[in-house]
Amino acid sequence: MRKLIATVFNYSLDGLLADEGTDFWEFCFSLPENSGPDDPAHLDFLRSAYAHIMGRTAYEAIARSMTMTATDHPFADILNAGRKVVFSRTLKTAEWANTTIAAGDTAEEIDKLRQGGDGHIVVWGGVSLWLSLMRLDLIDELQLSLFPYVAGEGTRLFDGDPKSYRLDLVSSTASSSGIIALQYHRHR
């Protein structure tokens, strides 16, 4: 059965995600790890994913970026060629190549994706999708990039929901810029 791995980028010490237009957003994308990620292991992780899943808002932002404004970004070729599934009950068509829309029951849609082999599925976001998957206890692993920054403004990822969610630390690695890559497995 395929593992569901949620990736959380641009996360501040005070528990906020970088919202576009904020000082924290500017800080995040001023760092080389974000503006031009080149870690071979991370690129291989993304390239080897069975599927990349996201909610509608994340899908629209990432699709626009990877196909129009950031086509030279190291993730662009991977995501443009990869299988993508967007979870949405409002989106009717998906223009981005290799994209399907999952509009049914979230747990059933995830179960279909998990069947048929080993490997992993990358969850890109957004917040509503992450929280939905956490409430349903479907996430197997969480990979979080913690930035050396107190944002003071932004979107709170964990805002009392889910109420309790125990994780086991697998690894932590600090970059030269002070970003800490944290990898947790869901405690079962």
Side-chain angles (χ1 to χ4, degrees), residues 81-147:
R83 177 180 183 183
K84 295 164 291 294
V85 180
V86 58
F87 282 74
S88 176
R89 290 186 175 86
T90 58
L91 193 65
K92 300 302 176 207
T93 61
E95 303 298 322
W96 198 5
N98 306 315
T99 300
T100 57
I101 299 171
D105 178 80
T106 301
E108 290 175 10
E109 296 283 0
I110 293 295
D111 191 49
K112 287 180 208 170
L113 288 169
R114 285 185 154 170
Q115 298 305 314
D118 294 328
H120 61 277
I121 300 164
V122 177
V123 182
W124 287 82
V127 174
S128 295
L129 179 60
W130 282 322
L131 292 177
S132 175
L133 295 172
M134 290 178 87
R135 272 186 233 111
L136 294 167
D137 201 13
L138 296 174
I139 295 174
D140 300 302
E141 185 175 304
L142 182 67
Q143 295 184 4
L144 185 116
S145 295
L146 185 63
F147 281 66

Side-chain angles (χ1 to χ4, degrees), residues 30-67:
S30 71
L31 299 177
E33 292 96 327
N34 241 6
S35 59
D38 62 357
D39 176 24
H42 188 69
L43 295 174
D44 286 344
F45 164 76
L46 295 176
R47 196 175 290 112
S48 66
Y50 170 74
H52 301 269
I53 67 173
M54 51 201 82
R56 182 193 51 81
T57 304
Y59 165 79
E60 289 172 347
I62 295 169
R64 182 175 46 255
S65 178
M66 295 294 114
T67 61

Side-chain angles (χ1 to χ4, degrees), residues 144-146 171-175 179-183:
L144 185 116
S145 295
L146 185 63
S171 68
S172 62
T173 309
S175 75
I179 300 168
I180 301 176
L182 299 165
Q183 179 184 8

Side-chain angles (χ1 to χ4, degrees), residues 149-164:
Y149 199 93
V150 176
E153 63 179 332
T155 301
R156 188 162 302 284
L157 177 56
F158 307 108
D159 198 13
D161 197 15
K163 301 284 183 233
S164 177

